[in-house]
Amino acid sequence: MDKYTIITDNGQGLFAERLTDLYASVSHYLETEREEGRTLNFTKIFLSDIANQHDELCHSPLMTDIIENTAHTIIQQSPIGGVKIGLLLKTSDEPQAFTLQSLRLTDDEISNFGSYVQTIMLFDKYIALLKQKGLNLKEHCVRTWIYVRDIDTNYDGVVKARNDVFRQHGLTIETHFIASTGIGGRALGKNVCVAIDFLTASAIRPEDKLFLHALDHLNPTHEYGVAFERGVRITLPQKYQYFISGTASINNHGEVINIGNVTKQTERLLENIGALLADGDATLADVRYFIIYLRDLADAAVVDDYMENHHPGVPRIITYAKVCRPAWLVEMECIAEKER
């Protein structure tokens, strides 16, 4: 089985001191996991200030002794509660069907290119990696995470670039798109405004993928000019795995609802996630973790209380990361798993 957990720093001390404390916490956790036959497979690292924290993190024992040799991704999406670093850890005792590529650009590569060209460059890098392995974007990419710096300004360029890439590679309304979260986030680099994580399944077959729609709750994304699937169920030998894209408070006409009310938006987006899971014969009880994105950190306590009351025990991390529409106060994504 796969297991997911969230570990954050204790909210006290310098960044170096927090890294030391995290090293001890993660080491202890992984030791207990090894006793259960599970080892580290993937780490997502959330930082509060990537420009000042990245190098110190990368030279720390936490990275060099534990994280560095397994799949990982680093992004600035500040965790709530005075936390400087949060970790989403995945451990497993089974062969892994997926490979993560965390692709980043450097200031030297991008010159003065904006979000459209940067998005094209990242997709081109990924597609070249796929080609080396005899794979392709349409068949083998099952999930993306697109992090957009200053999303209110740069998101339109990302959307146009992704539409163009998909059209070029045969991903259309008639075929399918790819499950994705497009969200505010900052990678390392003064002029870098886009970063992307890609999830690849090299042995996937078309019949192993079921795209989730829930049309009574959510409209098709192409109706408002974007190209992504709201969710996908992957059939694996022992289980179904569900990747739910970033989901917000929206109705089946593509309209933002519950404007200005973060509690009602949280309630509706979870209803939407539940409807997507139901489209693949799963429920919210099958969710293994939530990542929660807030436009305004002042809403954190309200959302956290809601999740604790309605979904206690499910690992979650709440971060400051603006959603692509200003009226959306909160967005969530998740992974669910269910035995076959």
Side-chain angles (χ1 to χ4, degrees), residues 249 257-259 261-270 302 306 330:
S249 181
I257 54 176
N258 302 312
I259 291 175
N261 187 325
V262 72
T263 301
K264 288 292 185 181
Q265 287 199 14
T266 302
E267 185 178 73
R268 175 58 191 232
L269 76 82
L270 285 164
V302 172
Y306 185 96
V330 57

Side-chain angles (χ1 to χ4, degrees), residues 141-145 162 166 176-181 197 211 227-232 243-246:
C141 183
V142 299
R143 179 73 161 91
T144 64
W145 292 262
R162 180 173 57 184
F166 284 3
H176 64 82
F177 298 122
I178 296 169
S180 185
T181 298
D197 294 336
F211 296 102
F228 72 94
E229 297 290 344
R230 297 201 181 275
V232 62
F243 297 95
I244 301 299
S245 300

Side-chain angles (χ1 to χ4, degrees), residues 234-292:
I234 305 297
T235 300
L236 299 172
Q238 302 297 326
K239 64 185 178 184
Y240 298 111
Q241 190 155 31
Y242 302 77
F243 297 95
I244 301 299
S245 300
T247 303
S249 181
I250 192 172
N251 64 19
N252 60 354
H253 300 292
E255 300 163 336
V256 181
I257 54 176
N258 302 312
I259 291 175
N261 187 325
V262 72
T263 301
K264 288 292 185 181
Q265 287 199 14
T266 302
E267 185 178 73
R268 175 58 191 232
L269 76 82
L270 285 164
E271 180 183 334
N272 288 345
I273 289 175
L276 288 167
L277 291 170
D279 205 29
D281 195 31
T283 72
L284 286 166
D286 298 308
V287 172
R288 295 295 176 258
Y289 70 82
F290 290 102
I291 300 178
I292 304 168

Side-chain angles (χ1 to χ4, degrees), residues 137-199:
L137 180 69
K138 182 178 179 181
E139 296 180 28
H140 300 104
C141 183
V142 299
R143 179 73 161 91
T144 64
W145 292 262
I146 306 179
Y147 310 104
V148 188
R149 181 177 176 181
D150 191 6
I151 195 167
D152 294 338
T153 300
N154 291 316
Y155 188 64
D156 287 347
V158 171
V159 167
K160 185 176 186 302
R162 180 173 57 184
N163 290 349
D164 289 348
V165 169
F166 284 3
R167 191 179 305 113
Q168 179 184 356
H169 290 270
L171 288 85
T172 67
I173 298 168
E174 289 73 27
T175 61
H176 64 82
F177 298 122
I178 296 169
S180 185
T181 298
I183 196 71
R186 181 171 179 174
L188 191 66
K190 181 179 179 182
N191 298 311
V192 173
C193 58
V194 184
I196 309 181
D197 294 336
F198 298 89
L199 195 68

Side-chain angles (χ1 to χ4, degrees), residues 55-108:
D55 288 352
E56 191 169 2
L57 166 67
C58 289
H59 289 94
S60 71
L62 176 65
M63 181 63 78
T64 59
D65 294 356
I66 298 177
I67 296 174
E68 189 173 65
N69 294 321
T70 57
H72 62 275
T73 180
I74 303 172
I75 196 69
Q76 178 177 313
Q77 289 177 329
S78 183
I80 67 164
V83 172
K84 290 182 177 291
I85 179 169
L87 307 176
L88 166 62
L89 303 170
K90 174 188 175 186
T91 55
S92 184
D93 60 1
E94 59 189 33
Q96 293 301 301
F98 307 103
T99 303
L100 181 86
Q101 280 98 0
S102 181
L103 299 187
R104 302 293 186 263
L105 299 169
T106 66
D107 284 334
D108 290 339

Side-chain angles (χ1 to χ4, degrees), residues 11 14 22 28 39 65 76 79 130 152 197 224 233 257 323 333:
L14 300 174
L22 266 180
H28 176 72
T39 57
D65 294 356
Q76 178 177 313
L130 290 177
D152 294 338
D197 294 336
Y224 48 92
R233 185 188 76 183
I257 54 176
V323 186
E333 65 172 72

